[in-house]
Amino acid sequence: LHATEGSEDKGMSDMVFQTFVNVSASLGGLVSVSKPTGTPGIPPSSLMSFQTNKKLSTPTPSVPGTVLADFERELSNPYESTYLDDAHNVHLPSIATAADLLAKVLRELAGSRDEVADANPGLDPGVNKTVYHLGECLLSESPGMQCGLVQRMADSAIRGDVPLYPGVLNPYGPPKNLQHPADKSDLARFIWSFLALKSEGAADEDLDKRAKCNFPSVGVKDPSKGGCEGAGEVCARWRPVNDTSDGSTGRCVRADTMYLPGWSHLLTHNGTWEVVEAAIGDETIVDELWTESYWPTGSPSVSAYLSESKSFDLRLFLSGIIVTLGSWYLVRRGNLYYIKQAKSS
């Protein structure tokens, strides 16, 4: 359990760590939590975007937090950033265990203990089912994004599984309205609706009975125009199983789900994406370019070229000369032999 710098001084790190230890004990030995030693800070994660960068003109206060990872000092994944890093190398039981651990920790930190979970140690059946259902939709070629869950929440046209390194940068810059789903991918819209609907805690049959709306109706409150008039309500994409096609494409739910930019705060967009001028090696730089994704054309890029030694270049040059002279000699001998045979006949 990695913690941001300074979180120990506020006592938050010890409290969160102890909560993780207590909750992990209730999972029947499926997972153990420990503090890393000798690490420089939190590993690459979205939490880095909420850390202070003193090189920026308007630095913001750092947000203390923790990052749960399955490694201490160095990530060990031979398939990382390669075409082999696909769904076949994703271990769903580990994801289900981590999800259950996080859910129970958050509940306990919020001051609500789950007495049912305490009396029945082990994985929560609901969490386990959700993880495997999402795995079927996002990590499998069939049904993939054509599964019923995605179609009810996003109506995606994508076939097959989704890439594990989704692009996060729009080559035209940040959208004017970050919360509008029009320019988001099918995957992003699905995740947004999934989180909004699940945060309500309602069963599928209860969602069918909720007030109808027209997704996306961002900022619209008038029900006659497809909006949601309730306080704190948003319109989430939802299509009932027995769709009557009455024109409504969503249901009103109370949720605080929102889109947040996934790029580093060392990036700026002035016609094209640029890296904020800063000494990357400076100790004040907390947030480096951590995002691992397939960046679109126009994004900041680095080209690296491998230069061989002079001795290798010399050997390669001499080998080329030898091959060239040898080829010329063989062609010459073959030509003379052909001429001699032609004259003798």
Side-chain angles (χ1 to χ4, degrees), residues 70-71 74-80:
D70 59 351
F71 61 91
E74 185 176 355
L75 173 65
S76 178
N77 181 8
Y79 308 108
E80 184 183 11

Side-chain angles (χ1 to χ4, degrees), residues 18-281:
Q18 192 57 47
T19 305
F20 267 95
V21 171
N22 296 338
V23 173
S24 63
S26 68
L27 295 179
L30 292 175
V31 62
S32 62
V33 181
S34 61
K35 285 185 177 181
T37 57
T39 55
I42 59 175
S45 63
S46 57
L47 184 57
M48 284 185 171
S49 293
F50 298 91
Q51 304 304 300
T52 298
N53 178 6
K54 297 179 181 179
K55 290 293 182 179
L56 297 179
S57 57
T58 56
T60 56
S62 295
V63 176
T66 57
V67 176
L68 182 66
D70 59 351
F71 61 91
E72 183 177 31
R73 297 188 180 184
E74 185 176 355
L75 173 65
S76 178
N77 181 8
Y79 308 108
E80 184 183 11
S81 299
T82 70
Y83 72 95
L84 294 175
D85 194 3
D86 54 18
H88 297 289
N89 298 308
V90 176
H91 192 240
L92 286 179
S94 297
I95 296 179
T97 303
D100 197 33
L101 174 65
L102 287 173
K104 292 177 179 178
V105 166
L106 291 175
R107 177 178 294 177
E108 186 161 328
L109 289 175
S112 174
R113 291 190 60 86
D114 191 342
E115 297 180 358
V116 176
D118 292 342
N120 300 277
L123 290 180
D124 181 89
V127 174
N128 197 56
K129 180 180 178 181
T130 300
V131 169
Y132 277 87
H133 200 173
L134 289 174
E136 181 185 32
C137 295
L138 304 180
L139 300 177
S140 66
E141 296 181 2
S142 179
M145 290 285 282
Q146 294 300 307
C147 72
L149 181 63
V150 173
Q151 293 304 308
R152 298 174 71 182
M153 296 185 182
D155 200 17
S156 174
I158 298 177
R159 296 190 177 275
D161 55 348
V162 299
L164 299 186
Y165 298 87
V168 295
L169 291 183
N170 188 323
Y172 304 105
K176 294 181 179 179
N177 186 350
L178 189 62
Q179 300 308 317
H180 202 285
D183 61 342
K184 306 299 188 298
S185 65
D186 289 351
L187 177 61
R189 284 194 292 267
F190 164 68
I191 294 176
W192 187 93
S193 291
F194 177 83
L195 293 176
L197 293 168
K198 293 302 180 182
S199 63
E200 180 78 356
D204 292 356
E205 53 270 18
D206 294 329
L207 290 174
D208 296 343
K209 303 174 184 177
R210 293 296 178 89
K212 299 176 181 180
C213 57
N214 292 328
F215 177 85
S217 56
V218 181
V220 179
K221 294 295 184 182
D222 189 353
S224 64
K225 297 181 180 180
C228 298
E229 62 179 346
E233 286 188 339
V234 295
C235 182
R237 177 72 169 84
W238 178 256
R239 182 172 61 184
V241 175
N242 299 322
D243 189 6
T244 57
S245 300
D246 57 356
S248 62
T249 58
R251 294 294 185 270
C252 294
V253 294
R254 290 179 299 173
D256 295 324
T257 309
M258 63 180 65
Y259 295 101
L260 291 176
W263 55 81
S264 166
H265 66 187
L266 287 181
L267 292 175
T268 182
H269 190 275
N270 296 314
T272 58
W273 287 101
E274 299 176 359
V275 180
V276 177
E277 292 186 5
I280 299 300

